[in-house]
Amino acid sequence: MNRRTFIRGTASLAALSAVSLRAALIGKPKTLVVGADKAGCEYAIAHPDDTVLLERGILPAIELGHDQTDAWAVKLLEANCRVLLNAEIESIARSASGYEVVAYGADGRHVFTVAAVKGFEPGAGSLKLGADSLVQGAGRLKLFVKKNFKACELPAIPSFAGEYDVVVAGLGSGGVYAAWKAAKLGLKTLGIERMDKLGGQATLGCVCGTYENQQAKLAEFEKMAQEACFETARMTTVIGAWMEGRRIAGLRLLFRGAVRDVRAKIVIDSTGDASVARMAGCRVRIGRDSDHQQGATSKASILRQPDGRTRMSYGFYRDSAECEGFDFSSRILGYAARDRKTLGKRQVVVKATIMGAREEGHVVCEDTYTLRDALCDRLVANPIFIARKTPFDLVRIDGDWAWENEDTVDWKEICSLKNFAFGAKVPYGTIVPKDAEGLLLAAKHYGVAHDAGGGLRMQSHMRCLGLAAAAAAKIALDRDCRLKDVPYADLRPLLDEPGMFQSDCRPVDIYYSRYSLGPFGVDEIVSALSRPYVHPGDWVVFTARHPGIDMAWAYLACWRTHLCGSPTEKMALADELSKHLDGEWGAHFALALGLMRDARAVPGLIACATGKGLFADRLKALAALRRFKTPEARAVFESVVADDAQAFTEGVPDEKGTGFARFTRDYRRFQSLSHALFALKEMGADLSAWRNHPLVLACGARDNADLAPRLRGI
């Protein structure tokens, strides 16, 4: 048998050190640079001005107890060190005074200098470079960056208190169904939950509609546990993973200070934040590619309305889910305080005890499902569930869509598909991690891309993941095969549960509507675009045809033709659209051609962007021009940046948008500048001078936060 090693993970140190360490560091931002290897954790503490390295050393590869972590809290406090949380190094370069480090943390881009010290050479084992970069915050003294998790092997001998066929970590919407299904299939099953009740966001997170629904869900999950007779370990935290080579062989658990080891033939990670997968050495992709920001967080409540009925209420916040436990606690208190201001005559019935983190990373799996896969109706040979009308509910409260990938920009900014949804056929490989064996995923951190994950994270989807993971575990154990080799012919019969394979799954459809739109032909596209722009609305129920919906659908038809149409179809549609470029609604046809990446769109897009027409059309044209790297397009972007988008937004009125949006002129400048700056960056322009540009744009949603620093970070 392979040598067993104990992999200490982020959850371990969070459980042991969160309160004391975070309490000590609150209000004292500093810098801690950490690298990890088999010997332990190498650290470097820098002076607050980032120029003098005060100390470097090795944190031994031992399990930290309360005494050691308290000592570290005192050490960091006395050293007056600045902590850069959850950061990834972009580059390290020699400078006159040492090393200039450029890193992206949870709060944006950072540039600092670490003095050259004998024996401390970045890239020589103490500070990892490139994709394996480690600039680590010590908010909970975790040793590893979440995005590129590196495990520290600790030689140890386990003392297994129990052995199970399946251990499910996390009993939320996915975990409960995974444990229930595994037990019903005859597998000895243990479910682990860090809270005292089951259900996660569906119950404790108050994402349940009404108080009555919440209580019914709690009762349903408890009944499932009793009916299937699987063991549960509540108020229990996973603090480590036992590994036999690449295979996860068990977990180390912490319950009220007592440590317990359990052996598992298969582990299902339903934690939601991939904590078990990280401990097992799996790579995790964090957020979008440009800055690794993720979907907005939220905090829900159940309120009693003046008429006596109960109803869920929640608000969105820009805070990233990649933060420390103490920060999570602080945010929950802060969100609750903010929510009190909007109560009016309503009364609080239940407050969520957990924060709603819509995205906490996605594990690198055998297969990855993207928004483009859905748009092109990708042929999936081994789907584990089929979902129709999945809302593209990727929430960014400040509307910083320019940072997203091309598909998201096309969906959100150009096509205006806010109230549209996509269909998805999710492949089996999305629940099988690529970097560890004996492990399956059944929560929102499974193998979907950041864009598709904006929708494929609902409770119904998590239920399907849990059922599929349990079925795969059963087959792998019965056939004694690797999880990635589970025969789909054997798996498919076990997936015949209600709601797993929804019929009438269309690539795109209207989300809230009593009618559906059929495919648009060329004549219908031309008709829909030959009219003034009308906003298609935002999360409303349509009972009749709406001109804004028709225009959005026409743009979508052009975009999908570009993505998955035949060369003949693309040419025929583009030729027809080009005939209308000089007409009254030429801007709309230029946008449609822009979605098709047809160069004939460029003159029309430039005319639209530099004209005095409707701002919505001009912003769309600016976003579409990013696809064309021509000198004429570059001149447009440079003109927008030259005067901080003053001329581009001249005459734009302040208006109240839907939900939390406030479309002030400064906000429109933020949108315009973000697209222009990204376009110039993609064209190789030098933006170094812009990073010191004294611009203030106090237009953030809810709190009028200054969004100009986001632009300087581009």
Side-chain angles (χ1 to χ4, degrees):
M1 181 174 291
N2 294 331
R3 177 178 64 90
R4 293 194 184 98
T5 55
F6 181 68
I7 306 301
R8 181 174 61 230
T10 59
S12 167
L13 298 171
L16 294 175
S17 64
V19 176
S20 61
L21 189 54
R22 279 184 189 72
L25 293 174
I26 284 297
K28 291 185 176 292
K30 323 275 187 299
T31 299
L32 175 66
V33 182
V34 175
D37 58 25
K38 291 184 179 180
C41 174
E42 188 162 11
Y43 64 89
I45 301 176
H47 191 271
D49 64 7
D50 297 324
T51 59
V52 179
L53 195 66
L54 299 178
E55 180 183 348
R56 66 182 291 271
I58 295 288
L59 179 65
I62 60 172
E63 294 181 59
L64 297 178
H66 288 287
D67 293 341
Q68 290 94 329
T69 52
D70 288 343
W72 260 78
V74 174
K75 177 189 286 287
L76 296 174
L77 183 62
E78 291 176 346
N80 199 30
C81 63
R82 184 165 70 87
V83 176
L84 184 59
L85 292 175
N86 301 313
E88 178 193 359
I89 294 177
E90 179 185 80
S91 64
I92 299 178
R94 268 281 193 183
S95 66
S97 56
Y99 296 96
E100 183 180 80
V101 181
V102 179
Y104 283 92
D107 55 347
R109 187 175 186 272
H110 297 264
V111 180
F112 57 90
T113 301
V114 177
V117 174
K118 183 178 181 181
F120 183 77
E121 287 293 328
S126 55
L127 193 62
K128 307 292 170 58
L129 299 177
D132 294 328
S133 300
L134 296 175
V135 174
Q136 183 52 55
R140 63 183 182 198
L141 197 57
K142 62 184 186 190
L143 303 186
F144 318 108
V145 165
K146 286 186 177 180
K147 181 174 185 297
N148 294 296
F149 186 91
K150 293 295 178 182
C152 182
E153 294 188 356
L154 306 179
I157 299 175
S159 177
F160 290 125
E163 296 193 12
Y164 299 88
D165 296 319
V166 173
V167 172
V168 181
L171 295 176
S173 300
V176 168
Y177 281 98
W180 173 82
K181 178 80 170 180
K184 295 288 278 185
L185 290 172
L187 303 178
K188 185 180 179 183
T189 304
L190 170 67
I192 303 162
E193 173 53 47
R194 64 186 178 89
M195 307 297 283
D196 62 339
K197 292 181 173 62
L198 311 182
Q201 291 295 336
T203 54
L204 301 179
C206 294
V207 185
C208 47
T210 67
Y211 176 74
E212 293 74 18
N213 287 347
Q214 183 199 42
Q215 297 305 303
K217 280 283 188 184
L218 284 168
E220 176 188 350
F221 291 145
E222 292 294 342
K223 182 180 179 181
M224 289 173 64
Q226 295 172 9
E227 175 188 282
C229 296
F230 63 85
E231 295 182 40
T232 61
R234 309 189 194 202
M235 303 295 290
T236 299
T237 304
V238 178
I239 63 172
W242 289 101
M243 303 296 294
E244 294 177 352
R246 280 171 42 90
R247 171 173 288 278
I248 188 168
L251 300 175
R252 171 159 288 189
L253 313 178
L254 180 69
F255 172 70
R256 294 180 178 175
V259 174
R260 173 191 178 197
D261 294 326
V262 294
R263 186 170 181 81
K265 295 177 182 176
I266 290 175
V267 173
I268 299 177
D269 183 354
S270 298
T271 57
D273 63 359
S275 56
V276 173
R278 298 175 200 265
M279 294 176 201
C282 296
R283 291 166 291 167
V284 179
R285 298 187 180 98
I286 302 298
R288 57 196 183 191
D289 293 337
S290 63
D291 61 357
H292 305 302
Q293 288 292 306
Q294 305 189 98
T297 53
S298 61
K299 181 70 163 58
S301 307
I302 298 177
L303 306 179
R304 190 172 302 281
Q305 310 297 320
D307 62 5
R309 292 181 297 178
T310 62
R311 182 180 177 182
M312 180 183 71
S313 174
Y314 59 94
F316 293 110
Y317 307 93
R318 70 173 55 86
D319 303 308
S320 173
E322 287 287 293
C323 70
E324 310 307 315
F326 192 89
D327 298 327
F328 256 72
S329 299
S330 299
R331 288 179 186 177
I332 287 175
L333 294 175
Y335 294 173
R338 281 183 250 177
D339 290 343
R340 282 201 300 269
K341 299 177 183 178
T342 62
L343 278 176
K345 295 183 179 180
R346 300 174 297 175
Q347 296 178 321
V348 176
V349 179
V350 180
K351 275 280 189 185
T353 55
I354 55 179
M355 191 168 69
R358 295 179 163 223
E359 184 181 9
E360 295 182 84
H362 296 281
V363 176
V364 176
C365 292
E366 293 293 333
D367 202 345
T368 301
Y369 196 79
T370 68
L371 176 62
R372 183 166 296 192
D373 289 334
L375 289 170
C376 295
D377 197 16
R378 169 187 158 192
L379 181 63
V380 175
N382 55 354
I384 51 175
F385 69 91
I386 296 176
R388 62 187 295 269
K389 287 196 173 185
T390 299
F392 187 20
D393 196 17
L394 177 63
V395 176
R396 296 291 306 170
I397 73 167
D398 293 319
D400 52 355
W401 302 120
W403 279 258
E404 299 287 344
N405 64 21
E406 283 193 5
D407 289 344
T408 302
V409 172
D410 287 349
W411 180 291
K412 294 281 190 179
E413 292 274 62
I414 302 178
C415 294
S416 295
L417 298 171
K418 285 189 175 181
N419 45 29
F420 283 70
F422 59 87
K425 300 172 183 176
V426 179
Y428 171 65
T430 58
I431 65 172
V432 183
K434 184 171 285 188
D435 301 323
E437 296 179 6
L439 180 65
L440 290 166
L441 309 174
K444 63 179 181 286
H445 58 275
Y446 68 120
V448 291
H450 165 71
D451 51 14
L456 289 169
R457 53 167 184 76
M458 307 299 174
Q459 293 173 26
S460 59
H461 305 145
M462 299 304 100
R463 168 184 174 272
C464 293
L465 292 177
L467 295 172
K474 169 67 173 175
I475 295 170
L477 293 175
D478 286 350
R479 295 179 65 97
D480 192 23
C481 67
R482 295 185 301 176
L483 289 167
K484 70 176 184 179
D485 297 330
V486 166
Y488 186 69
D490 293 351
L491 178 64
R492 181 61 181 84
L494 296 182
L495 302 180
D496 280 330
E497 297 279 357
M500 293 283 282
F501 292 87
Q502 298 179 1
S503 59
D504 190 25
C505 178
R506 305 174 65 194
V508 184
D509 207 340
I510 306 174
Y511 187 44
Y512 290 126
S513 179
R514 297 172 188 171
Y515 73 94
S516 291
L517 287 171
F520 267 14
V522 174
D523 292 342
E524 290 170 298
I525 292 173
V526 171
S527 174
L529 297 180
S530 299
R531 63 185 69 176
Y533 172 77
V534 178
H535 193 281
D538 190 12
W539 301 112
V540 293
V541 177
F542 294 102
T543 57
R545 290 289 287 267
H546 182 282
I549 290 292
D550 281 1
M551 182 173 288
W553 194 254
Y555 282 139
L556 172 68
C558 298
W559 181 29
R560 289 196 66 235
T561 299
H562 163 69
L563 293 179
C564 42
S566 68
T568 301
E569 291 171 330
K570 295 177 186 179
M571 182 176 295
L573 178 57
D575 287 345
E576 182 61 34
L577 295 175
S578 67
K579 297 176 183 178
H580 301 270
L581 288 173
D582 296 328
E584 181 181 3
W585 309 109
H588 297 164
F589 289 93
L591 286 168
L593 280 172
L595 286 164
M596 298 186 71
R597 309 307 191 258
D598 191 304
R600 287 174 286 184
V602 173
L605 293 175
I606 292 175
C608 179
T610 56
K612 298 297 181 182
L614 193 67
F615 178 79
D617 282 341
R618 289 191 284 125
L619 183 64
K620 291 173 185 287
L622 199 66
L625 271 175
R626 286 178 59 182
R627 313 296 182 243
F628 303 96
K629 309 297 191 287
T630 67
E632 296 81 7
R634 180 168 182 153
V636 173
F637 299 128
E638 289 174 341
S639 68
V640 172
V641 172
D643 69 345
D644 300 337
Q646 293 282 7
F648 191 79
T649 58
E650 184 179 359
V652 174
D654 290 351
E655 57 180 304
K656 179 71 170 68
T658 56
F660 41 72
R662 291 189 296 272
F663 297 143
T664 63
R665 185 183 178 192
D666 274 357
Y667 176 69
R668 295 305 196 186
R669 291 171 64 198
F670 168 73
Q671 290 179 298
S672 309
L673 284 167
S674 61
H675 281 297
L677 286 167
F678 264 111
L680 291 173
K681 179 180 179 180
E682 291 157 2
M683 292 179 181
D686 181 7
L687 300 179
S688 57
W690 175 261
R691 296 194 175 103
N692 297 316
H693 189 50
L695 177 67
V696 176
L697 293 173
C699 55
R702 292 189 179 273
D703 56 3
N704 289 325
D706 182 12
L707 300 185
R710 299 292 317 281
L711 298 174
R712 286 191 281 270
I714 294 174

